[in-house]
Amino acid sequence: MKLIHTVLLFLCFHLNLCVSSTSDPSQEDPVDSKCLLKKYTHLSCTKVFCQPWQKCIDGTCTCKLPYQCPKNGTSVCSTNGKSYLTYCHQKSFECLRPGAKFLNQGTCTAEGKFNVSLSYGNTDSEGIVEVKLVDQKEKMFICKRSWSMTEANVACVDLGFQQGALSTQGRFYPPTDLHINTTECLHVQCRGLETSLAECTFTKKRTKIYQGLAGVVCYTQDTASPTDRSFQCVNGKSIAWEKACNGVNDCGDQSDELCCKGCRDQSFLCKSGVCIPSQYKCNGEVDCLTGEDEVGCEGARLPETQGLSRSTQEEKEIEELLTPDMDVVSISPDPHRGLLLDLNFVRPSKAHHYGIWTGLVNRVKYNTASAIEKVQKIIVHENYNGSTYQNDIALIEMKKKANQKECHISNSIPACVPWSPYLFQPNNRCIVSGWGREKDNQKVFSLKWGEVKLIGNCSKFYSNRYYEEEMQCAGTEDGSIDACKGDSGGPLVCMDANNVTYVWGIVSWGENCGKPEFPGVYTKVANYFDWISYHVGRSLISQYNV
Ligand code: 4AZ
């Protein structure tokens, strides 16, 4: 067992993304029911990216202030007649004060009114969908083949039905004497979290053959008919159990797609347990937290071709894009830098007594690339518990050299702060390194490293001493690769699908060294993202969700 407790950490820099897996169309129920208890929604930023007008605070997407939006972009007009600098600005205002919604891109014009209505249904909450676009005189119908739950949810929310749509299956019959031009209709494509159908992309289609028209039944308490096999959405809506984990946001708050062990209907399973539509794979935008939907995409489909992929020859006669795509910030992986420091004993008040060796390989024969840095400040976690080893983490701030703007360490290996506990999973392989003792207690002079696997369910080895949220076990089946006395505070580094490395763990404790059934226990750094952000400043360690 270990003696002195430890700590580590780094200062500079950025966080980010990772890894891959494919959907699992097996017969088994793909829903992870334990995860459902956490009530994840589209606002849970340990599972999904926030919208560009939101930032992630304590695991929840919260509204940004408009001035925090990037300034470059096209101006947009809102339903209150006000013009905003960009779409992000308008959405940020709307997020803070729901009411006025997006109307159109560009300036506000006098004629401009966007309107959605339902006709030929038996109640106000159902019918065939009619839309009047800002720059069109007449109302138009929407083509059935472009219409899915994604768009139906947006239409219902736009009409004031907060829980979105019940179904797109309703059959509605216009009076027979009414002449409807069914060879012309609007093709619409939404992302699913828009608050107005006006935010979606419309294309006009004219065809020779009869087009089915889009209809919807919006969700109300009267239309709801939950059964034993219903899936209970976080927003109170119930949907058929089979619709959970199919890549479609049937709930409207995405809660049916965030707790998945596999995905139905060929939808794509992100490592974080989220199902996304198959069209989101290789579309040039990172949708999985861990970026695996954009890995191995050479020669794959380009985003521009997507919306038209269902077009048939007949439909192609006339296609006119009526609403341009919004300039939503697209996310793509970036290189990040980071730095790890190893400390074995920490007394915050004695910061100036410490030096940090960087680039060191052999601790008795200093290599030329190694250097020593002064310490400015040491922050030990305020809830560090020396008997249970909970919150075994600390930060070391390095002293800036004169005229130095950024912290820069030569010969260092960059590693990022993981911002979500879902970035890596049991069985992922990671690297632990350090100068700790050998199994037989022999001293080590040259830095050693080894590959270990992340281990889930570690309470079976350390029953009431293991705290799932705060700790991470790692090792090998035979125990041969393990951290040992003196390794504490050292890094457990994992690499994602985009070759971005993360400090996933900090060597903390473990019974024995190198014995099977006694894996090494590491501090789960992702659990301390908010604590680290609080101390170093969010912008310093975040790339996304800020
Ligand atoms: C230590 O005392 C220590 N085998 C670190 C890890 C392990 C044991 C002891 C796990 O630094």
Side-chain angles (χ1 to χ4, degrees):
M1 264 288 263
K2 71 167 310 348
L3 302 170
I4 304 168
H5 251 258
T6 358
V7 191
L8 125 147
L9 235 36
F10 28 64
L11 304 185
C12 318
F13 327 32
H14 283 119
L15 98 178
N16 194 21
L17 322 164
C18 95
V19 223
S20 107
S21 76
T22 46
S23 56
D24 168 19
S26 72
Q27 307 296 357
E28 263 176 55
D29 186 1
V31 181
D32 174 351
S33 37
K34 196 172 149 208
C35 163
L36 292 180
L37 300 174
K38 302 216 169 172
K39 301 206 172 300
Y40 291 122
T41 69
H42 62 296
L43 297 178
S44 305
C45 39
T46 55
K47 282 272 177 183
V48 293
F49 289 118
C50 297
Q51 304 282 356
W53 53 92
Q54 297 169 328
K55 57 186 170 178
C56 177
I57 305 218
D58 292 346
T60 306
C61 297
T62 39
C63 311
K64 265 184 191 168
L65 295 173
Y67 80 86
Q68 293 168 317
C69 285
K71 297 208 171 31
N72 48 342
T74 325
S75 66
V76 304
C77 177
S78 154
T79 50
N80 61 8
K82 277 196 185 151
S83 213
Y84 292 90
L85 207 52
T86 67
Y87 179 57
C88 175
H89 286 81
Q90 185 271 319
K91 293 301 286 182
S92 151
F93 270 102
E94 183 186 340
C95 179
L96 291 161
R97 274 174 175 239
K101 296 183 187 181
F102 172 89
L103 186 58
N104 62 280
Q105 245 185 321
T107 47
C108 295
T109 55
E111 28 145 356
K113 275 273 171 293
F114 175 90
N115 181 275
V116 191
S117 53
L118 303 180
S119 323
Y120 316 117
N122 294 324
T123 65
D124 289 351
S125 58
E126 60 174 43
I128 294 180
V129 186
E130 283 190 276
V131 173
K132 189 189 93 60
L133 298 178
V134 172
D135 52 0
Q136 300 280 303
K137 287 205 181 65
E138 304 289 329
K139 277 185 173 183
M140 283 189 74
F141 293 104
I142 292 179
C143 327
K144 194 170 188 167
R145 55 188 318 152
S146 78
W147 192 245
S148 72
M149 268 308 267
T150 310
E151 286 75 25
N153 271 327
V154 176
C156 289
V157 168
D158 202 357
L159 288 163
F161 300 96
Q162 282 317 316
Q163 287 160 313
L166 175 73
S167 89
T168 57
Q169 301 299 323
R171 299 209 169 274
F172 309 105
Y173 302 100
T176 42
D177 56 342
L178 192 87
H179 174 74
I180 296 181
N181 180 2
T182 53
T183 56
E184 195 173 77
C185 57
L186 292 173
H187 189 291
V188 60
Q189 196 172 24
C190 308
R191 293 282 298 191
L193 295 174
E194 297 88 344
T195 51
S196 165
L197 215 48
E199 291 170 62
C200 303
T201 307
F202 287 93
T203 326
K204 201 193 262 183
K205 302 263 179 179
R206 201 172 297 154
T207 61
K208 285 185 189 142
I209 52 151
Y210 169 74
Q211 284 278 326
L213 301 179
V216 68
V217 181
C218 293
Y219 192 93
T220 62
Q221 284 320 317
D222 301 339
T223 52
S225 52
T227 65
D228 286 353
R229 280 293 288 170
S230 291
F231 178 93
Q232 198 59 42
C233 308
V234 173
N235 63 8
K237 182 173 169 180
S238 24
I239 60 168
W241 188 267
E242 292 68 35
K243 291 188 171 179
C245 298
N246 65 352
V248 179
N249 172 11
D250 294 280
C251 283
D253 63 359
Q254 228 184 325
S255 52
D256 52 326
E257 303 303 321
L258 302 181
C259 284
C260 305
K261 294 183 280 187
C263 296
R264 301 181 220 259
D265 306 341
Q266 263 98 57
S267 58
F268 183 82
L269 177 66
C270 299
K271 268 221 153 183
S272 50
V274 176
C275 293
I276 59 168
S278 53
Q279 312 89 276
Y280 288 12
K281 169 113 183 95
C282 295
N283 69 348
E285 272 178 36
V286 175
D287 296 284
C288 298
L289 266 196
T290 42
E292 63 273 24
D293 55 314
E294 296 301 322
V295 168
C297 293
E298 285 83 65
R301 184 170 8 104
L302 293 168
E304 291 76 33
T305 61
Q306 256 194 84
L308 307 178
S309 58
R310 283 183 287 182
S311 298
T312 61
Q313 222 23 60
E314 292 95 327
E315 274 181 336
K316 276 192 190 139
E317 289 211 339
I318 297 180
E319 272 176 8
E320 199 186 323
L321 189 66
L322 299 173
T323 45
D325 280 338
M326 234 65 72
D327 42 34
V328 186
V329 178
S330 88
I331 302 160
S332 56
D334 239 19
H336 323 276
R337 300 192 301 146
L339 140 78
L340 271 181
L341 301 172
D342 186 1
L343 249 211
N344 256 338
F345 197 60
V346 174
R347 265 178 233 147
S349 59
K350 300 261 169 67
H352 59 282
H353 287 193
Y354 297 96
I356 299 163
W357 283 96
T358 61
L360 191 69
V361 178
N362 189 310
R363 62 193 178 96
V364 284
K365 256 187 14 214
Y366 304 139
N367 41 310
T368 45
S370 63
I372 193 158
E373 303 284 335
K374 287 187 177 156
V375 172
Q376 172 74 31
K377 194 168 153 196
I378 297 169
I379 305 164
V380 178
H381 197 288
E382 55 286 3
N383 296 329
Y384 168 63
N385 184 330
S387 15
T388 61
Y389 306 138
Q390 286 174 275
N391 308 306
D392 191 10
I393 186 167
L395 292 165
I396 304 163
E397 186 182 345
M398 286 153 41
K399 217 180 208 138
K400 256 195 210 138
K401 298 201 180 98
N403 303 326
Q404 189 189 27
K405 280 210 189 80
E406 257 193 29
C407 127
H408 174 78
I409 295 209
S410 57
N411 211 24
S412 68
I413 299 170
C416 308
V417 182
W419 78 99
S420 162
Y422 296 102
L423 297 184
F424 297 94
Q425 311 289 335
N427 286 325
N428 283 170
R429 293 167 190 277
C430 304
I431 305 286
V432 56
S433 54
W435 286 273
R437 297 281 172 127
E438 293 282 12
K439 202 168 152 186
D440 54 7
N441 210 28
Q442 291 258 358
K443 282 189 181 160
V444 166
F445 299 104
S446 201
L447 183 65
K448 295 209 152 201
W449 64 272
E451 190 181 85
V452 284
K453 272 190 197 170
L454 303 184
I455 299 173
N457 228 340
C458 202
S459 307
K460 70 172 182 253
F461 302 116
Y462 295 116
S463 53
N464 43 19
R465 292 190 282 160
Y466 185 72
Y467 297 84
E468 180 85 39
E469 306 236 306
E470 306 163 17
M471 297 174 184
Q472 169 75 65
C473 281
T476 52
E477 265 99 60
D478 61 0
S480 60
I481 315 264
D482 192 13
C484 198
K485 202 169 148 190
D487 283 323
S488 296
L492 175 70
V493 172
C494 311
M495 194 186 270
D496 76 4
N498 299 300
N499 295 341
V500 179
T501 43
Y502 291 87
V503 196
W504 187 247
I506 305 167
V507 181
S508 180
W509 62 279
E511 200 133 342
N512 306 306
C513 294
K515 287 209 175 141
E517 315 268 300
F518 294 103
V521 186
Y522 298 75
T523 307
K524 199 189 266 178
V525 179
N527 187 53
Y528 297 91
F529 181 81
D530 287 312
W531 180 80
I532 298 168
S533 322
Y534 172 78
H535 288 288
V536 307
R538 189 166 292 268
S539 59
L540 202 64
I541 61 161
S542 306
Q543 181 185 20
Y544 300 141
N545 293 335
V546 275

